[in-house]
Amino acid sequence: MKILVACYSRTGTTKEVGEAIAKELGADFDEIVDLKKRTGLPPIRFLIAGKDATRKRKTNIKFERAAAGYDLIVIGTPVWAGNITPAVRTYLGAQRLDGKKVAFFCTYSIGHEKVFDEMKALVPKSVVVGTLGIPAKEVKAGDYLKRAKEFAESLKK
């Protein structure tokens, strides 16, 4: 089975989890890049990013690999203001995922409960085979690897 793990990560936290999952699965890894500048003073950049996520905005992105050539696509996002990021929202609309097996993961500080429902709604003709939410503090502490490995193992079945 050919597998792709793709994720957006502004700070590197979600990318770290995505790379660990890709390694466990023996999968290709692709980073989704948001072409909108999301840097600046912390309070301002968080407010703008959260507003974009809450308003369900899309953004210009780039990525290397098309999902069409894969049997399973694992897609990751950080959670911003309880929502998926504009980059992942755009990615889910840009890729051809109809009939594909997909799995989702997210990293979050608070409020990730509706994220997977939102992601599923954006790919209604895909088969969702798993989800994983990991608190950002677990990633920073290095306490996420067991859960990432268990998630990867569940996707192999």
Side-chain angles (χ1 to χ4, degrees), residues 50-58 77-90 92-93 102 104 106 111-124 128 131:
K51 184 173 87 174
D52 285 352
T54 301
R55 292 186 175 174
K56 304 197 183 319
R57 290 192 172 143
K58 292 186 177 181
T77 184
V79 177
W80 290 356
N83 296 281
I84 64 173
T85 60
V88 172
R89 180 178 302 285
T90 304
L92 290 171
V102 297
F104 304 125
C106 72
H112 78 290
E113 294 79 17
K114 68 178 186 176
V115 168
F116 297 130
D117 289 337
E118 187 178 2
M119 293 173 85
K120 289 175 188 177
L122 291 169
V123 291
V128 179
T131 60

Side-chain angles (χ1 to χ4, degrees), residues 34-47:
D34 187 341
L35 299 176
K36 181 176 182 175
K37 184 179 177 185
R38 297 208 183 265
T39 57
L41 297 173
I44 295 170
R45 73 173 177 237
F46 290 133
L47 289 172

Side-chain angles (χ1 to χ4, degrees), residues 85-141:
T85 60
V88 172
R89 180 178 302 285
T90 304
Y91 182 85
L92 290 171
Q95 292 283 20
R96 299 191 183 275
L97 300 173
D98 288 358
K100 294 281 187 182
K101 289 182 183 176
V102 297
F104 304 125
F105 70 95
C106 72
T107 57
Y108 62 93
S109 294
I110 55 172
H112 78 290
E113 294 79 17
K114 68 178 186 176
V115 168
F116 297 130
D117 289 337
E118 187 178 2
M119 293 173 85
K120 289 175 188 177
L122 291 169
V123 291
K125 295 181 181 175
S126 298
V127 179
V128 179
V129 296
T131 60
L132 173 68
I134 297 183
K137 65 182 178 184
E138 285 186 22
V139 180
K140 288 176 177 48

Side-chain angles (χ1 to χ4, degrees), residues 135-156:
K137 65 182 178 184
E138 285 186 22
V139 180
K140 288 176 177 48
D143 295 335
Y144 70 96
L145 291 171
K146 181 181 178 196
R147 292 181 62 206
K149 184 175 184 172
E150 289 169 351
F151 178 62
E153 289 298 321
S154 74
L155 297 177
K156 291 178 185 177

